[in-house]
Amino acid sequence: MLQVVYCNHQTASLGVREKLAFTVERLQQAYAQLRNRFPGAEAVVLSTCNRVEIYTAQENPDAAPTHRELLEFFAEFHDIPVSDFIEDFLERTGPDAVRHLFSVTSSLDSMVLGEPQIVSQVKEAYRLAQEHDACGPLTHALFQGAIRVSSRVRSETGLAEGRVSIASVAVGEFGKSIFDRFDDKCVLIIGAGEMAEETLRYLQTEGVREIVVVNRSPERAEKLAAQFERARPEPLADLDRWMAHADVIVSTTGATQPIVDAQRFRNVRRQSGVKPVFILDLGAPRDFDPLVGEIDDNVFLYDIDALNVTCDRNRKSRQKEIDRALRIVDDETDRFMQEIYHRATGPIVKRLREQWHEISRDELDRLRGKLAHLNAADLENVERSVERIVNKLLHPPLEALRQEAKEGTPHGLLDALRRLFHLRD
């Protein structure tokens, strides 16, 4: 049984998502708790700025974690009452869970349609799940399939054309509503991960005058800055000085708490004066306290959720490409479920056919002695008739098994067939 329990930018506010996010540092603890709670279940945690999801797989559906049990895991792990987020979480099972992951990995479920970062995040989530021994045959097949589908959508549709990164949409839409030009601006990047790199790459095409990278790891700051012209690393201890100097601040740290509160930024504004400053907070949890945006009229603070309206407009303008991509996702979901069906039911189907045809052969052998008066052609007709009878008798249970397997719930019928006909895998 495959299932996913999740919230995303469509179902939950950033305030909820940031409370339920899993940092890389705490994933080991999360996977240990999942193993203790749900022995034998496979699991993959996907946690990004736009979504928090847990995929689980269990060959025995009776032992699979329930929706409520997974929500209780979230609540206890993050020390938050279930009532605070129960209405924000959805559940998908069987083919719907597969279709959901395929859509997510293909960026059809992203805030910025076609953005390339999500497939890297899915790959990293899958890698970390393997590192923590949380994967198994079903999740391996599921995530490898999702990566394959993403590649197909990217190559067969125009979904990835135009502005497709959060950075490009945010700077292009919001930044350009504040500044007419960027070639005379200083940009401060707080953080040195993939999102920071992607933002820098876009800003460099805008011809920014100066780029400063600040990160808690000086080595990572140096490595990131070295990839770009006019970029240099600076010590984290000098963060306030550079916030006062910068015209554009982009923060992507992934810290568990805001790193800049309102009082700290008021002190920064005393150094900078009232010049306009554009702050793009791409952290989840947020890096800047929302109150920072209320300090004065020239502080323009945008977080992930502020992109919603712009991204909805982007989505509506590209409906044809969405439709093409969805057809690929549906096709690949059907293909995946067929593969899972054969994997789950193949041994039982094979054994049942062998058993029934073996019985028919034994009966035909006994019958031949009593039908010595028949010629070879008549005997062959008898054998074919018996074979057709066996196949017709097998068809209803095997068709029911095929249908249940496609829906992701074949185990009850499999167990019944095993018991009824004393079958072994």
Side-chain angles (χ1 to χ4, degrees):
M1 178 178 176
L2 288 165
Q3 64 179 331
V4 57
V5 170
Y6 68 95
C7 70
N8 60 22
H9 61 96
Q10 296 171 327
T11 71
S13 68
L14 179 57
V16 170
R17 300 197 309 270
E18 63 190 0
K19 290 177 183 177
L20 297 170
F22 293 87
T23 61
V24 173
E25 292 77 13
R26 295 196 69 195
L27 271 180
Q28 182 174 358
Q29 181 185 354
Y31 279 120
Q33 289 190 21
L34 284 167
R35 273 194 297 274
N36 289 336
R37 282 172 174 264
F38 315 114
E42 306 170 30
V44 178
V45 175
L46 175 61
S47 183
T48 75
C49 57
N50 283 330
R51 66 188 64 255
V52 183
E53 307 187 337
I54 294 183
Y55 292 83
T56 61
Q58 175 68 267
E59 289 202 5
N60 178 8
D62 294 333
T66 65
H67 180 84
R68 180 73 188 191
E69 287 171 338
L70 285 167
L71 294 190
E72 288 171 352
F73 161 74
F74 272 103
E76 292 180 24
F77 187 85
H78 294 290
D79 194 23
I80 303 169
V82 170
S83 58
D84 283 7
F85 61 87
I86 189 169
E87 294 182 358
D88 301 307
F89 266 72
L90 301 178
E91 178 186 30
R92 299 283 183 266
T93 60
D96 290 336
V98 176
R99 187 175 293 104
H100 176 76
L101 179 61
F102 287 2
S103 296
V104 166
T105 313
S106 301
S107 82
L108 284 161
D109 197 56
S110 295
M111 180 178 288
V112 180
L113 190 69
E115 58 95 0
Q117 189 178 25
I118 184 62
V119 68
S120 298
Q121 293 168 330
V122 169
K123 287 178 179 177
E124 180 64 5
Y126 175 42
R127 185 190 70 78
L128 289 169
Q130 293 178 80
E131 188 177 289
H132 293 294
D133 297 321
C135 286
L138 287 171
T139 44
H140 279 306
L142 178 63
F143 277 79
Q144 289 166 11
I147 294 165
R148 181 186 69 246
V149 174
S150 170
S151 176
R152 188 179 164 195
V153 167
R154 188 162 292 274
S155 63
E156 296 181 25
T157 74
L159 212 62
E161 296 173 0
R163 285 181 181 160
V164 293
S165 71
I166 287 176
S168 66
V169 172
V171 176
E173 294 287 334
F174 300 139
K176 290 185 178 179
S177 69
I178 300 165
F179 301 120
D180 294 328
R181 52 190 288 194
F182 284 88
D183 59 0
D184 61 346
K185 301 296 185 292
C186 172
V187 175
L188 169 64
I189 302 287
I190 309 173
E194 186 177 350
M195 186 79 82
E197 180 179 343
E198 186 178 311
T199 306
L200 270 180
R201 185 165 285 110
Y202 180 77
L203 285 167
Q204 184 165 264
T205 66
E206 294 291 327
V208 294
R209 171 176 55 83
E210 181 182 17
I211 298 170
V212 173
V213 181
V214 172
N215 190 58
R216 64 181 178 180
S217 165
E219 294 79 12
R220 293 190 67 185
E222 289 173 10
K223 183 178 178 181
L224 178 59
Q227 299 179 47
F228 300 91
E229 296 178 10
R230 300 184 297 279
R232 68 179 185 278
E234 291 289 347
L236 183 61
D238 292 340
L239 176 60
D240 287 12
R241 179 167 70 88
W242 285 110
M243 283 196 293
H245 179 68
D247 303 292
V248 178
I249 301 172
V250 181
S251 192
T252 66
T253 71
T256 56
Q257 298 291 332
I259 61 172
V260 180
D261 60 23
Q263 185 56 53
R264 182 176 184 179
F265 205 75
R266 284 193 192 94
N267 295 335
V268 167
R269 292 299 277 173
R270 291 190 186 102
Q271 300 175 52
S272 68
V274 293
K275 69 172 186 176
V277 58
F278 169 41
I279 305 171
L280 180 56
D281 185 354
L282 299 178
R286 283 172 282 199
D287 292 330
F288 280 71
D289 188 315
L291 293 176
V292 167
E294 301 176 14
I295 289 175
D296 65 60
D297 291 342
N298 280 325
V299 177
F300 300 92
L301 172 62
Y302 295 90
D303 60 28
I304 290 290
D305 278 1
L307 294 167
N308 265 326
V309 174
T310 298
C311 294
D312 284 346
R313 188 167 66 246
N314 174 284
R315 179 176 291 272
K316 288 174 183 175
S317 69
R318 303 166 76 188
Q319 191 59 51
K320 286 185 179 178
E321 298 305 317
I322 294 173
D323 292 342
R324 290 175 64 192
L326 286 172
R327 285 194 292 271
I328 292 172
V329 167
D330 286 342
D331 176 57
E332 291 284 355
T333 298
D334 290 343
R335 173 182 166 187
F336 179 85
M337 293 310 298
Q338 280 294 109
E339 291 173 356
I340 293 297
Y341 157 66
H342 286 301
R343 182 182 302 180
T345 63
I348 289 297
V349 170
K350 182 173 182 289
R351 187 69 192 95
L352 187 59
R353 287 186 181 279
E354 287 174 347
Q355 185 186 82
W356 282 36
H357 284 291
E358 184 179 343
I359 291 170
S360 69
R361 283 194 299 271
D362 289 344
E363 291 302 317
L364 282 170
D365 287 343
R366 280 193 286 271
L367 193 59
R368 281 193 186 93
K370 300 176 181 179
L371 301 176
H373 58 284
L374 296 179
N375 59 35
D378 291 334
L379 279 172
E380 186 176 346
N381 284 332
V382 170
E383 290 174 1
R384 286 181 179 176
S385 294
V386 171
E387 185 175 346
R388 282 196 297 270
I389 291 169
V390 169
N391 286 335
K392 286 180 179 179
L393 289 171
L394 279 171
H395 180 74
L398 295 186
E399 179 61 21
L401 184 59
R402 184 189 69 81
Q403 188 59 39
E404 286 202 8
K406 280 188 70 175
E407 294 169 1
T409 58
H411 296 280
L413 191 51
L414 278 174
D415 290 340
L417 289 173
R418 286 189 185 100
R419 292 196 304 272
L420 283 168
F421 299 105
H422 305 289
L423 299 173
R424 296 180 181 177
D425 289 352

